[in-house]
Amino acid sequence: MGDGQFQRSRLEVRRSPIAIIRDGRFVYANKAYLKLFDLEDVSEIQGRLLENRVAVRHQERLREHLKEVKSVDPGKKSQSQAKLTFFKHDGERFVGIARSHLVRFDDEDCIQIELTTKEDVTLRGTLKRHPWGFYFSIFFLLLFSALPNTLLMKLDIDNSPKAYFPPDEPAVVIDNRLREIFPSDQVVVMLFEGVALFSDGFLKAFNDLAEELEAYPLVDDVLTVTRQDHITGSDDGFAVVPLIDVDKLDESHPSDRPEYVLSDRFARRTLVSKNSDALSMVVIPRDADNSMERLRLLEHANNLVEKYRLTGYLTAVAGEVPMDVAEFRSMLRDNMIFIPTTTAIGLFLIWWLYRRVLAVVISGLVIGVVVSCTIVIYVFTQQSFTLIASITPPLLSALAIAALIHLFNAMHHAAQRGLIWKHRVNKALDEIRRPSRFTALTTAVGLASLGASPIPPIATFGLIASCGVVLIYFVVIVIVPPVLVHWDHAPWPAKPSGLAWMDRIVSILSKTGIRYPGWVLGAAALIIAVGAPMIWNIKVETNLQEFFQPSHEVRRSTDRIDEKLVGTMPTEVVFETTSVNGLKDPEVLKEIRQFQNWVETLPEVDRSLSMVDFVEEMNWGFNDEQDQFRRLPTERNLISQYLFIYDGEDLYDLVDRDFQTGRVSLNLNVHSANEIDRVIDTIREHLDQQIGSNISWEIAGLGRLFADMEVLLVQGQVYSLGGALAIIFILMLILWRSLWHALVCMVPNLSPILLIFIVMGGIGIWLDMATAMIASVAVGIAVDDTIHVFHGFIHRVKKGVKPATALIRTYGQAGRAVMTTTIILTAQFMVLLLSQFVPTGNFGLLTSIGLLTALLFDLMVLPAILIIIYRRSWVRKS
């Protein structure tokens, strides 16, 4: 396209009436000018005098105006203006303001006149200048950039363990029923170490801290040595008193207190370390199932520790609540880093590639709209926002940038053909609309397949993220183009920064696949065959401790408390009798005692506690604290009498007041789901053999929840990945209408799955809550590039282009976008490696590996396959 033709094309798309005048005569007028004067074609006025269209009384003003324009220095680009009365073709008059300046048109000095009428400056006239699609797009972008932010304050952030289980999961059902009777096993354990732990001053402050903490609405109970029930002998049989009574500290000496506390079977290694050099405070929450509430609880506890000047003594805080809070804080930190960083990387690369401010601004708006609107779905559907959900913003940011890259690349290609304005945008849309529709569908399917996972946060993430992908397609294909039509008039650079070296790499890789297809396919098959055995090394595992680096505070605290006290992983065995007071039967209690004796021999179990321990302690106290009586009584009436006169509260943390349901609380010193599962299986086997038919039993608690997680993870992986591959294959069949084509396109998309699993098995990355999503996410994203490449190739082959030539031309156009999107996606996912949460980092690493693998297969293996298949058919056809 020549300079004059390009200049005319640019003026044609202007909505303002514009004419070019040379020596007072018309040279050119755009469509808007012709329409204003009711003219059909420029030939009706070409070569005629402009003043013949101006009222006689204003013709002199016109001449003065044109003279003034010619006197202006062309380098200043300033405009002169004059108010004139014009005639239309039918003689109708109107007043217009002519704004004029010197231009070069067809290599000659001319004057460009732009008219503004009275109607143009009215609101209606202003609005009529642009199509409704433009206003809708602007309204949509502005509305959905601001509106979701008002709703995000209602986001329910909850990362508690139960959020990861379906409500009908047996472990959840049992645990919910158990919590109606007994306090939560998800506690806060605070470890205090230092000198003078048994001094009057420390114990008083320690007790005051516990009492004020218990008064907090989210706290059910606080256990300490100053609040623990201690059963002791008395003149009346036995008495229940505080282990250390802060009101009677003057009756004992600090040096005698450690030994006295260690003699209490309930406090030893739970409230006091075995060397009495550490004391613990166990905080049992009340209905603190929300991560925000747990955070407030922990912050309140820390504030009280500071208030009572015990900060220097507090050396560790562990338990499920601090673990949940650590994950929550990690999630907040990650989002504060990932969202702006991934967005900044995407915007920077778009600027670096195209040097278009408009492209950067539009990309920023699209990311904001897509991410905020998708997150708001969590609010509308009343779903919890978990650590799994926190991957949504960076994922959608990356996918939005990838979709925009395909649009901008197509626009750049159209611009190089000389197209401008809506012709440029329409041409770009014609090239990418169909493949983009199917890439959106396949990515959405890959993510939506996670909805088959039995783990609610994974299923919710998949379904909501898939909605975000559909929204990306709508915004990029429907909302963005009218904005580009309105503002994108300038030419695109012939060789955008960064694209040249990408084109060279694409050319080298694709031509290697075309020229040496046999070698490329053989090498790919060999690599996969060598690595495939690594897949069998993948370990299905969940260990919240391992989710954090060894230096992380919550992990160090857990290790410290496990060392000083008993293990912090709670597991419970629930025993239930068929009748009220059934747990007063000596034979039933004897079976429970035998079970406790056995279970404490397991190396993974640090301690067991049940109502049996209380009954034995009552018997000991009733019999003048003689050691031989620290055992179960054999008479039911005596047990009933003990329980009747017991006036403490701690017993009822282990048995209901009908004495029909009781629990044995176990403290495990292991934290991995597999190890916990092995312990539970061992316990089940023992109970099946040893417990009589008069008692029913069940295993519950946090340990049971984690043990059951493994089965759910494996089920979810199989269902989601299998579903994703099946539906994507069906979509390929619909898109290409060929079984063979669909099978060919699946090859590059199976490669990232295989390599991800090979890497996981090779370097020991577990299949856990985060990595269970990677395969479905990676295949859903990777298939996008395959569709764009294959679509371009098939389109050219059907037009009669030779296969090798079709491949070269396809990669010359689509290859750039494929590499660009992969680089941007990989760069954005690699940011996840900055996370303190190990699974999030693994998700970023493995997804990046999968995308890079898919890129290599799309650039080398796919052309190798296509050239082998189509070269033979082309030869036969020729």
Side-chain angles (χ1 to χ4, degrees):
M1 181 182 287
D3 292 341
Q5 187 179 357
F6 181 77
Q7 196 171 9
R8 282 177 168 80
S9 298
R10 290 193 62 188
L11 293 174
E12 281 298 318
V13 302
R14 297 282 297 275
R15 297 187 180 277
S16 301
I18 296 174
I20 303 296
I21 307 297
R22 184 169 63 243
D23 298 329
R25 298 179 182 274
F26 286 101
V27 175
Y28 165 82
N30 68 358
K31 292 180 180 178
Y33 192 96
L34 297 176
K35 182 178 180 181
L36 177 63
F37 284 88
D38 296 329
L39 300 171
E40 296 292 333
D41 190 78
V42 69
S43 60
E44 297 181 50
I45 58 171
Q46 199 167 30
R48 300 185 182 183
L49 290 171
L50 169 64
E51 65 180 39
N52 291 338
R53 292 285 175 179
V54 178
V56 175
R57 70 177 188 276
H58 284 166
Q59 289 180 357
E60 181 62 29
R61 184 184 298 179
L62 171 64
R63 288 190 284 270
E64 290 295 327
H65 172 66
L66 297 177
K67 183 178 179 182
E68 179 184 351
V69 173
K70 292 180 180 179
S71 66
V72 174
D73 184 358
K76 294 183 179 179
K77 295 184 179 181
S78 57
Q79 288 188 336
S80 298
Q81 67 179 46
K83 187 175 182 180
L84 306 168
T85 300
F86 294 89
F87 290 102
K88 291 187 177 183
H89 186 63
D90 59 0
E92 180 185 350
R93 298 188 177 196
F94 69 92
V95 177
I97 297 176
R99 294 182 173 84
S100 310
H101 63 277
L102 292 174
V103 295
R104 290 286 294 176
F105 192 85
D106 289 341
D107 295 327
E108 295 190 60
D109 291 331
C110 301
I111 295 175
Q112 177 176 311
I113 297 177
E114 183 175 348
L115 296 183
T116 304
T117 66
K118 182 179 180 181
E119 183 183 2
D120 290 336
V121 298
T122 64
L123 177 61
R124 180 182 178 185
T126 302
L127 294 175
K128 286 176 64 178
R129 291 180 194 172
H130 312 296
W132 70 268
F134 168 73
Y135 294 112
F136 174 77
S137 295
I138 294 297
F139 175 76
F140 183 93
L141 291 174
L142 294 178
L143 176 65
F144 289 102
S145 292
L147 182 61
N149 296 324
T150 61
L151 301 172
L152 291 177
M153 299 300 294
K154 299 179 180 179
L155 192 64
D156 177 28
I157 303 176
D158 182 15
N159 200 58
S160 62
K162 285 188 181 179
Y164 287 85
F165 292 87
D168 58 348
E169 178 68 17
V172 175
V173 174
I174 295 168
D175 196 72
N176 287 338
R177 185 168 62 87
L178 200 61
R179 297 309 147 220
E180 295 176 359
I181 306 172
F182 304 118
S184 173
D185 63 343
Q186 298 180 30
V187 300
V188 182
V189 182
M190 307 168 69
L191 187 70
F192 294 81
E193 298 180 85
V195 296
L197 290 178
F198 291 91
S199 66
D200 291 2
F202 177 86
L203 290 174
K204 286 180 179 179
F206 195 56
N207 187 69
D208 290 344
L209 166 63
E211 288 186 347
E212 187 165 352
L213 191 53
E214 187 181 21
Y216 191 61
L218 295 176
V219 175
D220 182 37
D221 195 10
V222 179
L223 305 179
T224 68
V225 292
T226 62
R227 299 165 56 82
Q228 171 72 39
D229 282 354
H230 176 65
I231 299 173
T232 183
S234 70
D235 294 338
D236 298 327
F238 67 84
V240 180
V241 298
L243 182 56
I244 294 182
D245 192 339
V246 293
D247 294 329
K248 299 179 180 179
L249 291 176
D250 55 343
E251 297 179 5
S252 62
H253 192 275
S255 61
D256 298 328
R257 292 168 188 161
E259 183 179 356
Y260 178 71
V261 170
L262 283 172
S263 68
D264 185 271
R265 69 192 298 176
F266 304 116
R268 191 166 51 248
R269 292 198 66 197
T270 56
L271 300 179
V272 61
S273 65
K274 58 185 178 181
N275 297 324
S276 68
D277 57 352
L279 295 177
S280 73
M281 181 176 292
V282 180
V283 182
I284 302 174
R286 182 204 311 271
D287 299 329
D289 292 331
N290 182 285
S291 294
M292 286 292 293
E293 292 179 343
R294 293 180 172 209
L295 175 62
R296 287 196 294 269
L297 169 58
L298 208 58
E299 289 179 341
H300 180 69
N302 288 329
N303 291 337
L304 290 180
V305 169
E306 185 175 349
K307 174 183 176 180
Y308 289 102
R309 300 181 180 180
L310 298 176
T311 306
Y313 290 91
L314 183 62
T315 58
V317 180
E320 176 48 42
V321 173
M323 181 67 69
D324 178 26
V325 170
E327 293 175 358
F328 176 66
R329 285 173 170 160
S330 175
M331 177 171 60
L332 295 180
R333 173 188 176 275
D334 287 353
N335 277 287
M336 291 177 65
I337 295 175
F338 297 158
I339 294 176
T341 303
T342 53
T343 302
I345 289 174
L347 297 183
F348 169 76
L349 289 174
I350 284 181
W351 166 252
W352 180 63
L353 291 169
Y354 301 108
R355 299 299 172 94
R356 305 284 286 173
V357 174
L358 180 62
V360 175
V361 173
I362 287 176
S363 300
L365 283 172
V366 169
I367 290 172
V369 168
V370 168
V371 171
S372 57
C373 288
T374 305
I375 298 302
V376 162
I377 298 177
Y378 280 92
V379 178
F380 284 129
T381 57
Q382 298 181 339
Q383 296 296 318
S384 299
F385 194 80
T386 64
L387 263 170
I388 300 297
S390 68
I391 300 174
T392 307
L395 173 66
L396 293 181
S397 171
L399 293 176
I401 291 292
L404 288 164
I405 287 290
H406 283 289
L407 175 62
F408 294 150
N409 187 67
M411 288 193 63
H412 174 263
H413 189 73
Q416 302 316 301
R417 299 180 187 175
L419 300 177
I420 63 170
W421 192 46
K422 64 181 180 181
H423 308 294
R424 176 192 298 169
V425 176
N426 290 339
K427 180 62 177 176
L429 288 176
D430 288 341
E431 290 183 0
I432 71 165
R433 183 181 284 110
R434 190 164 185 259
S436 293
R437 183 187 310 127
F438 276 88
T439 58
L441 283 173
T442 52
T443 304
V445 164
L447 291 168
S449 68
L450 293 171
S453 173
I455 301 176
I458 294 179
T460 301
F461 161 78
L463 295 173
I464 292 180
S466 68
C467 293
V469 172
V470 174
L471 180 61
I472 289 173
Y473 174 81
F474 174 76
V475 173
V476 172
I477 301 300
V478 177
I479 299 299
V480 169
V483 178
L484 291 172
V485 167
H486 179 74
W487 275 310
D488 186 49
H489 299 157
W492 286 58
K495 293 183 178 180
S497 303
L499 293 185
W501 67 268
M502 287 188 187
D503 290 343
R504 286 195 294 272
I505 294 175
V506 169
S507 177
I508 292 171
L509 294 176
S510 59
K511 286 180 180 178
T512 300
I514 295 171
R515 292 171 180 170
Y516 312 104
W519 287 101
V520 169
L521 293 178
L526 179 62
I527 292 172
I528 292 175
V530 171
M534 293 292 183
I535 296 176
W536 302 110
N537 296 333
I538 295 177
K539 183 179 181 181
V540 182
E541 182 63 283
T542 299
N543 187 334
L544 294 184
Q545 299 298 312
E546 298 290 338
F547 283 179
F548 294 94
Q549 298 294 342
S551 59
H552 195 280
E553 179 183 357
V554 73
R555 189 164 172 183
R556 288 190 291 106
S557 290
T558 303
D559 290 342
R560 184 64 176 172
I561 290 175
D562 282 351
E563 175 190 347
K564 287 290 182 180
L565 305 172
V566 292
T568 55
M569 175 56 68
T571 303
E572 302 175 18
V573 180
V574 183
F575 292 95
E576 190 167 9
T577 59
T578 57
S579 60
V580 174
N581 294 321
L583 288 177
K584 293 180 181 180
D585 185 340
E587 291 302 318
V588 171
L589 295 181
K590 182 180 177 181
E591 289 189 77
I592 295 175
R593 165 47 66 203
Q594 289 173 345
F595 165 71
Q596 286 185 255
N597 292 338
W598 171 83
V599 80
E600 289 181 351
T601 65
L602 300 179
E604 299 88 354
V605 179
D606 282 346
R607 174 179 178 264
S608 71
L609 183 66
S610 74
M611 69 167 288
V612 175
D613 296 278
F614 278 85
V615 173
E616 289 179 346
E617 206 71 0
M618 295 175 200
N619 193 45
W620 169 76
F622 190 83
N623 290 279
D624 298 326
E625 301 183 0
Q626 297 180 59
D627 290 340
Q628 65 268 30
F629 287 97
R630 212 166 213 162
R631 54 177 174 76
L632 274 172
T634 57
E635 302 85 8
R636 181 186 181 105
N637 291 337
L638 185 57
I639 294 174
S640 298
Q641 182 182 356
Y642 289 161
L643 295 173
F644 177 76
I645 63 176
Y646 173 80
D647 60 353
E649 289 294 328
D650 292 350
L651 168 66
Y652 299 106
D653 291 342
L654 298 166
V655 65
D656 67 347
R657 294 185 181 268
D658 289 333
F659 292 94
Q660 188 171 1
T661 302
R663 63 172 178 165
V664 177
S665 177
L666 305 177
N667 290 90
L668 307 187
N669 53 36
V670 291
H671 299 278
S672 79
N674 285 330
E675 290 177 311
I676 297 170
D677 189 49
R678 283 193 291 271
V679 174
I680 290 177
D681 285 344
T682 302
I683 292 174
R684 281 198 176 106
E685 184 178 352
H686 176 84
L687 291 172
D688 281 334
Q689 296 176 357
Q690 301 298 325
I691 298 299
S693 59
N694 57 333
I695 315 175
S696 62
W697 56 268
E698 187 55 86
I699 299 176
L702 190 61
R704 165 75 183 273
L705 290 173
F706 278 113
D708 288 1
M709 176 71 74
E710 306 311 287
V711 176
L712 298 179
L713 282 172
V714 173
Q715 288 178 355
Q717 181 72 87
V718 173
Y719 295 158
S720 61
L721 182 55
L725 292 175
I727 298 176
I728 288 174
F729 180 71
I730 292 171
L731 288 174
M732 291 288 192
L733 282 175
I734 296 172
L735 175 60
W736 309 124
R737 299 175 184 176
S738 165
L739 176 62
W740 183 245
H741 289 172
L743 289 172
V744 168
C745 285
M746 290 303 292
V747 172
N749 300 301
L750 292 173
S751 62
I753 300 174
L754 290 173
L755 194 67
I756 285 171
F757 287 153
I758 288 171
V759 171
M760 288 177 65
I763 65 178
I765 294 178
W766 296 340
L767 180 65
D768 54 34
M769 288 179 291
T771 55
M773 305 185 299
I774 292 174
S776 297
V777 172
V779 73
I781 298 174
V783 73
D784 296 359
D785 292 338
T786 305
I787 290 175
H788 280 283
V789 171
F790 198 76
H791 178 268
F793 171 76
I794 291 297
H795 178 71
R796 289 176 172 85
V797 168
K798 286 182 178 179
K799 286 187 174 182
V801 180
K802 292 182 179 179
T805 304
L807 282 170
I808 292 172
R809 290 180 181 176
T810 297
Y811 282 104
Q813 179 181 347
R816 175 192 300 167
V818 167
M819 173 161 278
T820 303
T821 54
T822 301
I823 289 174
I824 290 178
L825 286 167
T826 301
Q828 291 176 308
F829 280 118
M830 289 296 283
V831 174
L832 300 182
L833 288 171
L834 299 175
S835 175
Q836 293 179 338
F837 198 61
V838 173
T840 302
N842 290 339
F843 180 88
L845 173 65
L846 294 174
T847 304
S848 299
I849 290 174
L851 294 178
L852 290 173
T853 304
L855 175 65
L856 290 175
F857 269 68
D858 279 328
L859 295 182
M860 296 184 71
V861 175
L862 183 59
I865 295 174
L866 294 177
I867 201 67
I868 289 176
I869 296 172
Y870 282 90
R871 186 166 55 189
R872 292 177 180 175
S873 62
W874 182 270
V875 170
R876 288 196 300 269
K877 188 170 73 172
S878 299

